[in-house]
Amino acid sequence: MKIICVCGLGQGTSLILRMNVENVLKEMGVQADVDHMDVSTASGTQADFIVTNNELAQSLQGHSAKIVLVNNYFDLNEIKESLQEAL
Amino acid sequence: MKFLDKGLISLDYEAQDAADAIRKAGQLLVDSGAAKSRYIDAMLNSYEDKGPYFVLAPHIALPHAKPEDGVNEASVSMLRLKHPIAFGHQKNDPVHLVFALGASSSSEHIALLRRLTTLLSNPSQVEQLRSAATEQDVHDLLAQTQN
């Protein structure tokens, strides 16, 4: 399973999201290949799931991956709930 | 690495708008020598081009640009706004705390983001940052929490 965490530049916020997604997946006991990148790279990258926020999800419409929305990047409970629902 | 060091925290700035808040938070990085002034322009361009996606949590914005836009050292500053300001984010407005992130491609960047994520994932610490009376109180909080 491949999961990519996406932000506008692929430098800062997507890496924060990736750290928290990896923590949550570990807690859930889920094995996955997690990566982070900017939104334009993500458009051309194959993945099963894309984790991002509502602001950027619109630019990823049409991507074959399932989009998982997170509003608060620092809320591990929200990230966990969103992933549990999606996976 | 400069993680909310002395001079990188400024409380209760009266910002005119979101761009003004980003500029001031970036100026803290520039004044400390962590970034060149063109990094501020790059952060503002990113906000214009890509929108307010970097408002990552309620009341918290993390403006940044790319390492090649003029970062000297992995760094983060904190600007607290006197009056919270709308950045245009659907869920997380208005912004109260602005953390300008000097993004670097070094391993320090990852260490810095881990510290910041640990700090901001703790709601009671965020509350203390929002209510601290002085910059020194913020430094004391950071020292206590080993952040």
Side-chain angles (χ1 to χ4, degrees):
Chain A
M1 178 168 51
K2 185 167 173 70
I3 299 177
I4 50 184
C5 301
V6 172
C7 76
L9 296 170
Q11 301 285 342
T13 56
S14 57
L15 192 49
I16 289 175
L17 188 57
R18 178 186 174 172
M19 287 171 183
N20 283 339
V21 163
E22 284 176 335
N23 286 341
V24 166
L25 289 173
K26 199 188 282 177
E27 214 182 291
M28 289 165 64
V30 176
Q31 289 274 352
D33 172 18
V34 186
D35 206 352
H36 69 280
M37 60 192 67
D38 70 274
V39 67
S40 49
T41 311
S43 301
T45 303
Q46 184 60 43
D48 300 301
F49 297 94
I50 291 178
V51 188
T52 191
N53 63 17
N54 199 35
E55 258 62 24
L56 294 172
Q58 280 138 23
S59 340
L60 290 162
Q61 276 175 2
H63 198 289
S64 62
K66 181 164 186 184
I67 309 279
V68 182
L69 293 180
V70 172
N71 289 311
N72 182 342
Y73 281 32
F74 298 114
D75 184 344
L76 296 176
N77 288 326
E78 187 198 332
I79 295 173
K80 191 172 180 180
E81 280 167 22
S82 302
L83 285 172
Q84 273 171 337
E85 205 174 300
L87 299 185
Chain B
M1 188 196 317
K2 290 187 194 299
F3 183 88
L4 302 175
D5 294 0
K6 298 269 177 200
L8 284 174
I9 295 172
S10 179
L11 300 184
D12 303 334
Y13 177 65
E14 293 198 50
Q16 303 299 309
D17 53 24
D20 185 31
I22 293 170
R23 205 175 290 122
K24 174 72 176 174
Q27 192 63 45
L28 296 172
L29 296 181
V30 172
D31 290 346
S32 77
K36 299 181 177 70
S37 61
R38 67 186 170 94
Y39 191 69
I40 298 176
D41 299 327
M43 288 197 295
L44 290 168
N45 287 338
S46 171
Y47 175 47
E48 263 176 43
D49 289 351
K50 299 173 197 300
Y53 76 88
F54 56 84
V55 184
L56 293 190
H59 318 300
I60 297 175
L62 225 89
H64 62 287
K66 297 180 183 174
E68 58 268 33
D69 292 325
V71 175
N72 298 325
E73 187 176 353
S75 49
V76 65
S77 68
M78 181 184 114
L79 178 71
R80 191 173 75 192
L81 304 178
K82 182 157 187 166
H83 308 291
I85 282 200
F87 275 50
H89 193 282
Q90 287 180 0
K91 302 262 184 185
N92 296 333
D93 269 345
V95 170
H96 191 203
L97 302 176
V98 182
F99 295 87
L101 176 67
S104 122
S105 49
S106 68
S107 59
E108 284 196 331
H109 180 56
I110 293 171
L112 181 140
L113 287 180
R114 277 200 200 285
R115 284 173 76 175
L116 189 60
T117 300
T118 304
L119 177 69
L120 298 180
S121 299
N122 182 325
S124 80
Q125 285 176 14
V126 171
E127 196 43 50
Q128 288 180 69
L129 294 175
R130 294 184 68 190
S131 61
T134 65
E135 277 118 19
Q136 188 55 49
D137 288 353
V138 177
H139 288 299
D140 292 347
L141 167 71
L142 294 172
Q144 273 169 29
T145 54
Q146 296 282 306
N147 274 307

